[in-house]
Amino acid sequence: MNQFTASRQPMQAQRPNTAPGNAEARKLAEDLMDAMNALLGLIERETELVRAGNVREAMTLESRKQELSRNYVGAVSRLKASQAQLAKSAPELLSTLHRHHDAFRAMLQVNLTVLATAHAVSESVVRGVNAEIQKRNVPNTYTAAGRRATPGPRHITPLTVSRSL
């Protein structure tokens, strides 16, 4: 069990419990919880794949991630529309959802950190390759003052990078 799955267990086990009169509020809360759990599961998988260096496989999750993100945003919008009513009728439900949402955001932050690190590493590699290519294309000459000549734009060869893997 990895750290993401372990931290997600309390979210699934602590479903908000409301009185039968608050069936609509419970339904909104369950929709949001389901959306968060589904998106979190996919994001955990993506994080694991990127950490393992399987970026291509992680990219295949993009369409599903977009779909789950739309579901999540829709559930949040519906909940926000009835937040005032929920605050009056089921304040404990609302506070439970806020706690779960805070845990959800923390897990998203881990995912964003992993993705940003992968992006920075790949950018560094591309810049390093470009610097090596440019060194080979620059004439090794000196100025009249004995300083190394800086290359002009005509000596710089563009580097082409395909963004699709």
Side-chain angles (χ1 to χ4, degrees):
M1 180 182 289
N2 66 25
Q3 67 183 12
F4 301 111
T5 307
S7 65
R8 198 173 82 183
Q9 292 301 327
M11 286 181 63
Q12 292 175 342
Q14 297 176 355
R15 289 267 176 170
N17 189 12
T18 60
N22 293 330
E24 184 178 327
R26 193 174 87 235
K27 174 70 170 127
L28 287 172
E30 285 179 358
D31 287 349
L32 181 59
M33 293 291 287
D34 290 344
M36 282 193 294
N37 288 334
L39 186 56
L40 188 58
L42 187 75
I43 285 172
E44 287 175 358
R45 177 70 180 140
E46 178 186 52
T47 301
E48 290 170 3
L49 289 171
V50 171
R51 279 187 172 159
N54 298 328
V55 178
R56 281 186 190 186
E57 192 175 341
M59 288 177 63
T60 63
L61 303 174
E62 183 179 349
S63 62
R64 179 77 177 134
K65 187 176 175 183
Q66 287 175 350
E67 176 188 336
L68 292 174
S69 295
R70 278 191 295 274
N71 293 345
Y72 166 74
V73 169
V76 168
S77 297
R78 288 188 298 276
L79 193 70
K80 277 186 178 182
S82 45
Q83 184 173 2
Q85 178 190 356
L86 280 173
K88 291 177 186 174
S89 66
E92 71 287 341
L93 173 65
L94 205 52
S95 65
T96 300
L97 284 174
H98 279 275
R99 283 194 313 274
H100 289 297
H101 195 261
D102 289 343
F104 175 72
R105 285 193 341 218
M107 298 310 293
L108 284 177
Q109 189 60 46
V110 169
N111 177 261
L112 290 174
T113 302
V114 168
L115 293 177
T117 302
H119 180 267
V121 167
S122 63
E123 184 176 337
S124 175
V125 168
V126 170
R127 287 185 187 277
V129 167
N130 186 39
E132 287 299 316
I133 290 173
Q134 298 312 323
K135 280 183 189 176
R136 292 181 188 158
N137 294 331
V138 174
N140 196 8
T141 60
Y142 295 90
T143 63
R147 294 190 186 113
R148 190 173 170 98
T150 57
R154 71 173 194 222
H155 296 293
I156 296 175
T157 306
L159 175 67
T160 304
V161 177
S162 173
R163 291 186 164 243
S164 66
L165 298 174

